[in-house]
Amino acid sequence: MLATGVSMASWVARTPAVRDALDVTTGAMGLVLFGLSIGSMAGVLASGGLVRRHGGRSVITLGAALLVAGLLVIAGGAALEVSGGVFGGLALFGAGMGLAEVAFNIEGAAVERAVGRPVLPVLHGCFSLGTVVGALLGMGLTALRFPVGWHLAAIALAVAAAGAWTVRAVPAGTGREEPEAADDDGRGGGWRAQVAVWRDRRLVLIGLIVLAMAFAEGSANDWLPLLMVDGHGTSATAGSLTFMLFAVAMTTGRFTGGPLLVRYGPAAVVRASAVIAAVGVALVVFSSSALLAGAAVVLWGLGASLGFPVTISAAGEGVRNASARVAAVSTAGYAAFLVGPPSLGFLADHVGLRNAMVVVLVLLGGAALITGALRTPEREAGTGAYSGVNGVQGAAPEGAAAPDSRTTAGPAPAAEAGPATDVDVGAGGLSRGASGRTP
């Protein structure tokens, strides 16, 4: 995740240099950038099915390979001044990002079920930290007039080395399901599994929450610098620094949110996050002071930081179809993140960019009203993913039989002696049991 964040920010920071190298208009550059959207959505839509068929590690490896290839093609296209090359490179880069991101979420949700504590916020925090590092590196190399082709090629090689080193630590088979006919719950491979999970009303509400929170994050990524420049009259440098402040706030929120989730639960945390983000957006939109608006970006970033990872975690709770549920909600979130915010540009043509951001406010308000969907009966009963002794007790592993509530309560049989620290990897994902054996 850190490497993907560095890659994305490196590209974003050098976009003006690529435009100058290609010597194209802003409109033509918009068509070139469309390659990133096409590739990203293709990767996101394909990732869930590929994970169920081949496992998360294989999909992450494929995603990393496409990402590296995309960066190299972009670098070559910029150096040779070929717009089509940059378009194709962005399509490969976006496909790699989309494939890897959904697979990362499935892996992270499986780890959470195994260890019984929040993992996804830190995982997403690594991506945010990567964006900060990549942006700082890009700004520095831009100031030094370092050739953009060599910059992106160097990032590609660094990502390739990091991927080759780290992917071996990812367990094989997480998220993979054996092909079988789908039953009434949508179990089985193919697209039917990912579509069937949306019959669950709770998952639909979770999908709406992630849509709103991802839209709030994506809107800042796409429009915040321009919002400060055109909406508040700041310099371009101040606009870039404001975005950097947002990225730092996002990173801080994700790395520090775990204890809050353990103590207060995801419903309360995401509700408070949505309100905090809404306050930040409102100050940016309605304040007449550029200084106050810039400071409010911290609230926007902190509030938006936990929404995406926490809702993904909630989607993965339960003992059946966790991979399909995580993939479905991840797809909804990334669709809102990638496709939703650009649509604000069309609205801004009529009402102005600041007024267009009222859409973000409405979505955040709606999300705050339905965060009860993140509260599960298991967690309320003290058996959820973040509950148990000292707040660290894993939920039942995917595929395990749920306890029969009709049986008479009685003392549990004594567990076999030995530390319960080994993690067993099966077709359904990661699970934990005494001495590495599932119950």
Side-chain angles (χ1 to χ4, degrees):
M1 291 289 276
L2 180 69
T4 56
V6 171
S7 301
M8 176 60 79
S10 297
W11 154 250
V12 171
R14 301 310 300 269
T15 302
V18 173
R19 182 190 61 184
D20 293 343
L22 297 177
D23 192 22
V24 295
T25 64
T26 301
M29 189 62 185
L31 293 176
V32 172
L33 293 174
F34 194 53
L36 181 62
S37 299
I38 294 175
S40 297
M41 286 310 303
V44 165
L45 292 173
S47 185
L50 290 175
V51 170
R52 290 193 298 275
R53 197 170 298 117
H54 304 289
R57 184 168 71 178
S58 297
V59 177
I60 290 172
T61 302
L62 175 61
L66 290 176
L67 189 151
V68 170
L71 283 174
L72 291 174
V73 174
I74 294 169
L80 298 174
E81 302 179 4
V82 179
S83 299
V86 176
F87 177 92
L90 285 172
L92 289 173
F93 178 81
M97 288 281 293
L99 286 171
E101 288 292 322
V102 175
F104 280 139
N105 284 315
I106 292 173
E107 291 285 345
V111 173
E112 283 191 338
R113 294 193 299 274
V115 302
R117 60 178 180 269
V119 170
L120 280 166
V122 174
L123 194 65
H124 283 254
C126 289
F127 178 86
S128 298
L129 178 61
T131 62
V132 174
V133 173
L136 287 173
L137 182 61
M139 290 170 61
L141 293 179
T142 299
L144 295 174
R145 299 183 181 277
F146 190 80
V148 63
W150 288 110
H151 173 198
L152 296 180
I155 295 295
L157 294 177
V159 171
W165 176 55
T166 58
V167 76
R168 293 175 298 176
V170 179
T174 305
R176 186 171 60 222
E177 298 176 358
E178 294 299 327
E180 56 186 45
D183 58 19
D184 293 338
D185 294 326
R187 191 166 177 80
W191 285 100
R192 287 180 296 176
Q194 194 162 328
V195 173
V197 294
W198 289 113
R199 299 172 185 168
D200 182 357
R201 177 178 176 273
R202 174 175 174 259
L203 193 71
V204 172
L205 293 177
I206 291 174
L208 292 175
I209 296 170
V210 77
L211 187 150
M213 301 303 286
F215 193 95
E217 180 182 349
S219 297
N221 287 337
D222 285 2
W223 297 110
L224 188 53
L226 192 59
L227 181 61
M228 295 302 297
V229 173
D230 291 354
H232 289 281
T234 66
S235 66
T237 300
S240 297
L241 290 176
T242 302
F243 173 71
M244 180 68 66
L245 190 63
F246 173 83
V248 170
M250 288 280 296
T251 304
T252 302
R254 285 172 169 172
F255 275 113
T256 60
L260 294 176
L261 290 168
V262 172
R263 181 168 183 177
Y264 299 107
V269 169
V270 174
R271 183 182 302 114
S273 297
V275 171
I276 291 171
V279 171
V281 174
L283 289 174
V284 172
V285 171
F286 299 116
S287 173
S288 59
S289 168
L291 184 61
L292 178 59
V297 166
V298 175
L299 297 178
W300 189 345
L302 287 174
S305 62
L306 292 176
F308 204 146
V310 173
T311 47
I312 295 298
S313 175
E317 289 182 352
V319 297
R320 295 178 64 84
N321 301 331
S323 296
R325 292 166 64 89
V326 169
V329 173
S330 296
T331 300
Y334 283 114
F337 183 83
L338 295 168
V339 179
S343 64
L344 291 177
F346 298 103
L347 181 61
D349 286 339
H350 301 283
V351 300
L353 189 53
R354 286 174 66 175
N355 291 330
M357 288 295 160
V358 173
V359 174
V360 181
L361 275 176
V362 173
L363 290 175
L364 288 171
L369 296 176
I370 59 175
T371 55
L374 302 176
R375 188 181 299 113
T376 63
E378 290 81 5
R379 182 174 284 123
E380 291 294 305
T383 59
Y386 304 154
S387 61
V389 180
N390 296 326
V392 182
Q393 174 62 47
E398 184 183 357
D404 189 347
S405 59
R406 295 170 298 178
T407 58
T408 304
E416 182 181 347
T421 57
D422 294 337
V423 177
D424 176 56
V425 182
L430 294 172
S431 59
R432 193 177 204 171
S435 302
R437 290 185 291 274
T438 55

